Amino acid sequence: MRFISLTVKKGLFQDTFDFNAHVNIVHSEKNSVGKTTLLRFLMFSLGYPIPGTRGLNFARYEFEADVISANHKTYRIVRFGDIVTLIGEGDDLSFSLPSDLNALHKIIFGIQNDEVLENLLGAYYVDQEKGWTLLNRGKAIGSIHFSIEGLIRGLSGRSNDELAVRLSSVKRELQKYKHMLDVARYQAEINALGENIAYDAPIDEIDTAIDVLLSERKPIFDELERVKNVIRKNMSFKKYIDSFQLRVRSLTTDEEIPVNEDTIIGFRDDANYLATKRKMVEMRLAEIDNKIANLRRQQDKENTLFDVQTSIQAFDADVAKMNVDAVSTERIIRRLETERKSLEDAITRSVKSNNPIIGELHTLISAYANELGIDERYVRPSEDYIFTSDLKSLTGAIFHKIVFAFKMSYIKIIGRYTGVNLPLILDSPSGREVDKINIADMIAILVRDFSEHQIIIASINLYDFVSPNILEIKNQLLSF
């Protein structure tokens, strides 16, 4: 797989960088002009979650990378934000990142094993910041990890076993419990300082109390309206009767009796009852309205307090309310750490068992290290050495050259087992403590053993390659 060109666009402006099939040197005599940025642009265009460099948010640019895939097909990869379109060879496919990253890379790199794909970048790309201290496991750049166990497991077809699945699950659980423990410790801190008290206002309880009172008020209000309506009808009936000035004659005394509220039996009693009923209902309604008014005044006060809270104070108040058991969380973390170590040891044993890649990789590393002047005091003859965790004994130029030996060996072993010639993308290979002789030895290895790979180097130096493609940066990478 190799790059043909990279076009970076923003609005109406764009810059294109062309690469040849062999050696490309991104060169500038100055530092901080964009050499590292161009290499990261290349990785970003392939869909990787590469962090931006100072002053540049990659998500605001559109990238078009013309590449020749591992299967010798020509594609244009267009990336804007988290959407990638792959165009060429009759294909016009869209990929959503990060979920579709491996699907995209299966086409570009022609490798189908997910664990190999997930560890490719750590093998062929050496970033200026993390790359020259990454030997066999750790962060390659940003959130992208590399694991020698994962790479070997994928190359030897031992992926997706039960141990790997369980280890992945345990790591996710560990991460969550560690975040939970951080919350518990922070909670303990703010509780100890008493910074949670002032903002533990029961505004939610006030809202609930008002809702309850409003629900109680509704039937009382309806009853009052009903009583008022009956009283209005009674008054209308009284006026109606009065307007006719009706009179009736007594059958016993022959007396004429006017028909009105005084002579209609029960009329006045009913009127008095309704008036009393109205007063009682009005008193009940007034009592509830008074409670609601008091709560709303309290609600306004709480809202005023909330408005003056800073985000941190509001966060502290929320954290203080959480129910987190720090002791139990620590106990779970210890158990998961033990299980993680046990699983990693078991996976390493399963990877090592009757696996010819271990010996082949160790042979390659030892050979390159020996060629760079590193003896067996540092690169031990035991095949297990490739899984070493002893990095403290490696410093300066020794560490730099051993990292180079490991990286070149990864590229070789990947090519041997997949048939894919990966590009070699090296940011500042000279390093601060590597002398000219060491650099010459490293370049000699690249020329001799990686002539069929595309090599892209960012540096303030021009190395001893035959007819390299020089991408010279004067003052800044982009013209816009």
Side-chain angles (χ1 to χ4, degrees):
M1 178 269 170
R2 69 177 178 87
F3 291 94
I4 301 171
S5 66
L6 176 71
T7 299
V8 184
K9 297 181 177 180
K10 188 174 186 181
L12 300 176
F13 304 98
Q14 67 178 50
D15 282 329
T16 297
F17 306 90
D18 296 315
F19 301 88
N20 72 19
H22 304 295
V23 178
N24 303 267
I25 298 179
V26 181
H27 176 263
S28 173
E29 294 181 353
K30 301 177 183 176
N31 286 319
S32 304
V33 294
K35 298 186 293 296
T36 293
T37 299
L38 181 54
L39 298 194
R40 291 191 181 187
F41 277 171
L42 288 171
M43 298 297 96
F44 190 82
S45 71
L46 294 182
Y48 288 112
I50 301 296
T53 48
R54 183 179 301 175
L56 284 178
N57 182 352
F58 292 3
R60 295 178 180 175
Y61 295 83
E62 181 179 341
F63 299 88
E64 289 182 359
D66 290 339
V67 303
I68 295 179
S69 74
N71 295 325
H72 310 293
K73 295 181 178 179
T74 302
Y75 289 106
R76 171 162 291 178
I77 306 168
V78 181
R79 176 173 184 179
F80 186 74
D82 289 334
I83 300 299
V84 173
T85 305
L86 187 70
I87 305 167
E89 302 288 346
D91 291 326
D92 188 350
L93 306 171
S94 291
F95 301 86
S96 178
L97 301 174
S99 58
D100 294 339
L101 183 61
N102 281 3
L104 172 67
H105 287 176
K106 285 178 182 177
I107 298 174
I108 299 171
F109 293 108
I111 295 172
Q112 301 306 309
N113 186 283
D114 286 335
E115 281 200 291
V116 175
L117 288 173
E118 288 162 5
N119 289 287
L120 274 189
L121 183 134
Y124 73 82
Y125 173 59
V126 185
D127 183 63
Q128 183 183 38
E129 295 178 2
K130 299 283 186 182
W132 293 105
T133 57
L134 175 61
L135 194 66
N136 48 18
R137 61 183 73 84
K139 285 187 179 180
I141 181 173
S143 60
I144 304 172
H145 285 74
F146 174 82
S147 161
I148 190 172
E149 290 87 356
L151 178 63
I152 295 175
R153 198 164 51 239
L155 290 174
S156 55
R158 301 182 183 184
S159 301
N160 301 321
D161 57 15
E162 293 181 2
L163 292 176
V165 172
R166 178 56 189 159
L167 178 60
S168 177
S169 174
V170 167
K171 285 182 175 178
R172 286 198 299 274
E173 287 184 43
L174 257 176
Q175 195 68 24
K176 292 177 182 177
Y177 278 108
K178 285 180 178 178
H179 288 319
M180 191 181 297
L181 185 59
D182 288 341
V183 170
R185 287 170 175 164
Y186 186 68
Q187 186 184 57
E189 183 179 340
I190 60 177
N191 284 338
L193 294 173
E195 294 178 347
N196 62 316
I197 298 172
Y199 299 98
D200 197 18
I203 191 164
D204 292 340
E205 295 178 7
I206 294 173
D207 290 341
T208 302
I210 290 175
D211 290 341
V212 170
L213 288 171
L214 288 174
S215 65
E216 291 177 2
R217 184 183 188 279
K218 179 67 168 55
I220 297 172
F221 177 80
D222 291 344
E223 184 179 2
L224 178 61
E225 289 301 304
R226 185 180 61 79
V227 172
K228 286 180 177 178
N229 188 43
V230 172
I231 292 174
R232 279 195 298 272
K233 288 180 178 178
N234 280 357
M235 292 301 295
S236 297
F237 177 72
K238 172 181 172 298
K239 290 178 180 178
Y240 180 77
I241 295 297
D242 289 346
S243 67
F244 281 98
Q245 296 183 342
L246 296 175
R247 303 173 72 84
V248 295
R249 186 182 299 278
S250 172
L251 295 176
T252 56
T253 62
D254 199 30
E255 179 185 6
E256 289 185 0
I257 302 172
V259 178
N260 54 40
E261 61 181 309
D262 295 325
T263 58
I264 296 175
I265 297 173
F267 186 91
R268 189 173 291 278
D269 290 340
D270 287 344
N272 290 337
Y273 169 77
L274 289 170
T276 303
K277 177 76 172 178
R278 174 178 175 173
K279 287 181 180 178
M280 292 175 65
V281 175
E282 284 177 339
M283 288 175 64
R284 287 167 58 198
L285 194 63
E287 183 180 359
I288 289 180
D289 284 346
N290 187 48
K291 288 181 179 178
I292 291 174
N294 287 334
L295 287 170
R296 283 187 167 152
R297 282 194 289 274
Q298 191 176 349
Q299 186 183 48
D300 291 340
K301 183 179 177 181
E302 294 295 339
N303 283 332
T304 303
L305 285 174
F306 182 79
D307 290 340
V308 300
Q309 278 183 265
T310 67
S311 297
I312 292 177
Q313 288 167 333
F315 177 76
D316 285 353
D318 289 339
V319 169
K321 296 173 185 174
M322 293 181 180
N323 183 19
V324 182
D325 186 339
V327 175
S328 297
T329 304
E330 286 180 318
R331 189 183 306 121
I332 293 171
I333 288 175
R334 286 195 296 274
R335 178 179 61 76
L336 289 172
E337 288 283 11
T338 302
E339 185 178 359
R340 178 187 61 81
K341 182 66 170 56
S342 174
L343 286 167
E344 287 178 343
D345 290 344
I347 288 171
T348 300
R349 287 195 300 274
S350 72
V351 169
K352 291 178 180 177
S353 177
N354 297 319
N355 197 331
I357 295 179
I358 308 293
E360 293 178 44
L361 190 54
H362 182 269
T363 299
L364 285 166
I365 292 170
S366 297
Y368 284 130
N370 184 59
E371 195 170 344
L372 294 171
I374 306 296
D375 59 34
E376 294 182 355
R377 288 178 299 170
Y378 299 102
V379 178
R380 295 191 295 275
S382 168
E383 292 182 354
D384 283 353
Y385 170 73
I386 66 172
F387 300 104
T388 183
S389 299
D390 179 20
L391 304 185
K392 294 180 180 177
S393 61
L394 305 176
T395 57
I398 298 292
F399 194 8
H400 195 92
K401 289 187 289 185
I402 290 179
V403 168
F404 182 82
F406 268 73
K407 299 285 186 180
M408 297 307 105
S409 302
Y410 294 148
I411 300 293
K412 278 294 180 187
I413 207 73
I414 290 170
R416 189 177 296 174
Y417 278 83
T418 66
V420 176
N421 286 335
L422 293 170
L424 279 77
I425 300 178
L426 311 176
D427 194 351
S428 305
S430 299
R432 293 180 180 178
E433 300 181 43
V434 182
D435 58 30
K436 291 183 178 179
I437 296 175
N438 296 146
I439 290 297
D441 291 339
M442 293 164 62
I443 299 303
I445 290 173
L446 292 176
V447 171
R448 185 193 65 213
D449 290 354
F450 297 91
S451 59
E452 296 183 356
H453 298 250
Q454 184 180 44
I455 298 173
I456 303 175
I457 294 175
S459 178
I460 57 173
N461 300 309
L462 291 171
Y463 300 104
D464 189 19
F465 291 103
V466 176
S467 303
N469 172 40
I470 307 296
L471 292 92
E472 188 70 33
I473 302 174
K474 296 298 183 182
N475 296 310
Q476 63 179 28
L477 177 62
L478 299 175
S479 61
F480 52 91

